[in-house]
Structures are given as structure tokens and as C-alpha cells.
């Protein structure tokens, strides 16, 4: 996805395309959301997007995507796991353990999971399956949406103003963010294994 493609879609469908990209990115269809948000900020600098409309559509797409995934997890996910989980090794005991571990950190995961590709897609489904109260999920996912969408757009806006960023190169940021995430997870995994090894000695 490049800036020309996005602008073509916007010309055809209006700001609805920003809503759709972020909505489907949250519910699980792969999309480079961070680079898209950064690109929105850069395109605002180039006067190709309206700040107000772009931010509003980005916020709505992300937040409604979170609510949709939560409701799918709540009304479809648990019955599906309960009925078919045994065929893929998800026993009642295992599910209760996973649910307990998620519930302990659910609100932190909902709030900060936006910054971790994969986690932000799985978190709302898990919250619904784990029966996290809707009011609490609504509040934390709304706050998380604001803390994720607005900083990335503002980063694109201010960096685009300062360095005159060419929008054509912005989509490559998605690859950079993914690489940083993978490195972070590998380092975390290695440290955990080392600590476990020390405890056994």
C-alpha cells in the first residue's frame, strides 16, 4: 500500500477508506496500521487530507473494530471453543488456565496491546471470550485507541513538517515497526529462558 493508492481510494470513496483500513486491520485482516497512521499525518502536512476528518475516521475505524471483535469473541468465540476446542487440544482445564492468566492482565493488554502487532488483533477477541465486562472494555479500548491513533498521526504530521518526508517512503515504516517488535519479543523470550535456567540450577 502506497500513498498514491490511498489517495486514489480516498478520491473514490472519501474518508470512509481510512475507517475501513483501520477497522479491518483491527478485526484481523492484515494491514500496516502504524505506517498508515503515520502516512495520514504526512498527507495532512501536504494538504492532501483534512486533519479533523482524517483523525475522526481513524479513531472510529479503530474503536468500532475493537468493539466488533469483542462482541464476536463474546457471542461466537466461547461457544466455538467449548464445542470444538477438544479437537485441537483445548481442554476445559487448559482454557480455564489461559482465561485466568489473561484476566489478570486484561486491562493492561487492552490498553497497551495496540502497540504490538498481533496482540491488538487478538486482545479484543480474548476479552470477549474471557467475559471481560463490556463497560470496562469500552473504556480501556477507547483510551487505548486515543493513545495509539493520535500519537502516530501527530508523529507523521510533525516529522513531515520538520523533514519534508516524501509520502512514497512512509509505507516502509510498517516493515521497520514489525522488525522492532520481532526483536523485542526475541529478546524478551531469551531473557525469560535464561531466568528459568538459572532458577533450575
Amino acid at each position: 500500500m502506497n500513498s498514491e493508492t490511498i489517495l486514489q481510494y480516498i478520491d473514490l470513496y472519501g474518508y470512509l477508506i481510512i475507517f475501513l483500513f483501520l477497522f479491518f486491520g483491527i478485526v484481523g485482516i492484515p494491514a500496516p496500521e502504524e505506517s498508515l497512521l503515520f502516512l495520514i499525518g504526512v498527507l495532512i502536512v501536504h494538504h492532501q487530507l483534512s486533519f479533523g476528518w482524517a483523525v475522526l475516521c481513524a479513531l472510529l475505524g479503530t474503536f468500532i473494530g475493537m468493539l466488533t471483535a469483542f462482541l464476536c469473541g463474546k457471542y461466537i468465540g466461547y461457544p466455538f471453543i467449548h464445542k470444538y476446542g477438544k479437537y485441537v487440544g483445548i481442554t476445559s482445564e487448559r482454557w480455564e488456565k489461559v482465561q485466568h492468566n489473561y484476566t489478570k492482565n486484561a486491562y493492561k493488554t487492552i490498553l497497551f496491546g495496540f502497540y504490538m502487532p498481533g496482540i491488538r488483533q487478538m486482545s479484543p477477541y480474548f476479552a470477549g471470550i474471557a467475559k471481560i465486562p463490556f463497560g470496562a472494555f469500552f473504556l480501556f479500548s477507547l483510551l487505548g485507541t486515543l493513545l495509539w491513533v493520535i500519537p502516530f498521526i501527530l508523529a507523521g504530521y510533525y516529522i513531515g513538517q520538520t523533514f519534508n518526508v516524501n509520502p512514497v517512503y512512509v509505507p516502509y515504516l510498517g516493515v521497520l515497526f514489525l522488525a522492532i517488535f520481532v526483536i523485542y519479543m526475541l529478546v524478551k523470550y531469551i531473557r525469560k529462558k535464561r531466568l528459568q535456567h538459572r532458577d533450575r540450577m
Side-chain angles (χ1 to χ4, degrees):
M1 180 181 62
N2 54 43
S3 58
E4 288 83 2
T5 302
I6 293 175
L7 289 172
Q8 288 175 2
Y9 280 132
I10 290 174
D11 288 337
L12 289 172
Y13 306 108
Y15 287 90
L16 176 64
I17 200 64
I18 294 175
F19 173 92
L20 292 175
F21 266 125
L22 288 163
F23 174 84
F24 286 115
I26 291 296
V27 299
I29 297 177
E33 295 98 342
E34 286 92 353
S35 58
L36 172 60
L37 293 171
F38 191 90
L39 177 60
I40 288 170
V42 173
L43 292 176
I44 291 170
V45 173
H46 288 260
H47 306 290
Q48 293 172 301
L49 290 175
S50 163
F51 183 89
W53 281 109
V55 171
L56 178 63
C57 290
L59 289 172
L60 288 176
T62 302
F63 184 58
I64 293 176
M66 289 290 288
L67 296 182
T68 301
F70 174 85
L71 293 175
C72 286
K74 182 175 182 179
Y75 294 108
I76 300 174
Y78 181 75
F80 182 86
I81 289 176
H82 182 72
K83 188 173 183 179
Y84 299 105
K86 58 185 178 182
Y87 298 111
V88 292
I90 304 177
T91 63
S92 298
E93 293 77 13
R94 286 181 178 176
W95 170 245
E96 288 178 4
K97 183 178 180 180
V98 170
Q99 184 175 0
H100 175 71
N101 290 336
Y102 177 82
T103 303
K104 286 194 303 183
N105 301 296
Y107 300 124
K108 289 182 180 178
T109 305
I110 294 168
L111 188 60
F112 300 110
F114 281 95
Y115 285 89
M116 293 180 281
I119 300 298
R120 66 170 166 266
Q121 284 82 10
M122 293 188 295
S123 177
Y125 288 105
F126 245 100
I129 294 171
K131 299 180 180 179
I132 298 298
F134 179 76
F137 177 82
F138 186 98
L139 178 62
F140 278 88
S141 61
L142 177 59
L143 183 58
T145 296
L146 294 169
L147 292 176
W148 181 61
V149 169
I150 294 177
F152 269 102
I153 292 178
L154 289 178
Y157 180 81
Y158 287 112
I159 292 175
Q161 273 190 328
T162 305
F163 297 103
N164 192 25
V165 176
N166 188 333
V168 173
Y169 299 110
V170 172
Y172 294 108
L173 285 173
V175 178
L176 176 62
F177 291 136
L178 179 60
I180 292 172
F181 173 72
V182 171
I183 292 170
Y184 168 78
M185 294 302 294
L186 284 173
V187 171
K188 188 175 180 180
Y189 176 78
I190 292 170
R191 286 180 177 175
K192 182 178 179 180
K193 285 297 182 181
R194 285 180 176 175
L195 288 173
Q196 289 176 348
H197 180 70
R198 288 176 184 174
D199 291 340
R200 292 172 185 171
M201 294 179 67

